[in-house]
Amino acid sequence: MPILPLPFGHRRVLHVTCLDEHPNRHEILGIRRRAVALCEREIAGLARVWRNTPYLAAVRARALSVDAPLVVEVLQAFAEIERAFDDVFAQPPSPTRISSATLHPTIVETGLKAVRDALAAAYARPVLRPREYLALLTPWRRVIDPLPEPGS
């Protein structure tokens, strides 16, 4: 029996029970790994690029809805990343790292919002429209992980 397309505006629900089954596992793990190793320049860059518009707020809500795959795991990942940031910024500055005093706490919090959006987009990619996925991921792509130029 052929699979009929869903009416406009409806998406298939993806039933994923663990990260190993997630079709976007590679990207999720990459963002999680990279997020805990961000330097202050990158955090400031993410904060500069991150926006909160009504459209992005709606997409963010979809990405973190009960229909999104592994939403509880996403929230746990948010907490892990925030703890990692707390640990980094609680350490005394080292000669190889800019003093954390150079970043105002609101800049760090806004940078973390961009990280959370990227992670939410990666987890929810199967249920988001391509435009929605890219909208949440834009700050991450611009600052941390730019897409390769076409033809390179």
Side-chain angles (χ1 to χ4, degrees), residues 18-19 32 41 47 88 95 108 118 126 135 150:
C18 68
L19 184 57
R32 288 177 69 166
R41 179 182 45 78
V88 167
V108 174

Side-chain angles (χ1 to χ4, degrees), residues 68-89:
L70 304 176
V71 71
V72 172
E73 187 171 319
V74 176
L75 299 175
Q76 290 171 340
F78 287 177
E80 289 172 17
I81 290 168
E82 287 176 24
R83 276 193 303 276
F85 270 74
D86 289 345
D87 292 346
V88 167
F89 289 106

Side-chain angles (χ1 to χ4, degrees), residues 1-7 12:
M1 174 174 260
I3 297 175
L4 299 174
L6 293 173
R12 295 193 194 288

Side-chain angles (χ1 to χ4, degrees), residues 97-114:
R97 191 170 68 78
I98 300 170
S99 168
S100 60
T102 60
L103 285 184
H104 192 276
T106 57
I107 293 172
V108 174
E109 183 56 37
T110 304
L112 278 170
K113 289 176 182 179

Side-chain angles (χ1 to χ4, degrees), residues 97-150:
R97 191 170 68 78
I98 300 170
S99 168
S100 60
T102 60
L103 285 184
H104 192 276
T106 57
I107 293 172
V108 174
E109 183 56 37
T110 304
L112 278 170
K113 289 176 182 179
V115 172
R116 287 190 295 259
D117 277 1
L119 196 55
Y123 271 97
R125 185 176 189 176
V127 297
L128 294 177
R129 293 173 186 88
R131 179 179 174 210
E132 294 171 329
Y133 164 77
L134 291 173
L136 282 182
L137 204 62
T138 292
W140 184 266
R141 289 283 186 229
R142 283 193 183 163
V143 177
I144 307 303
D145 188 20
L147 294 172
E149 293 296 320

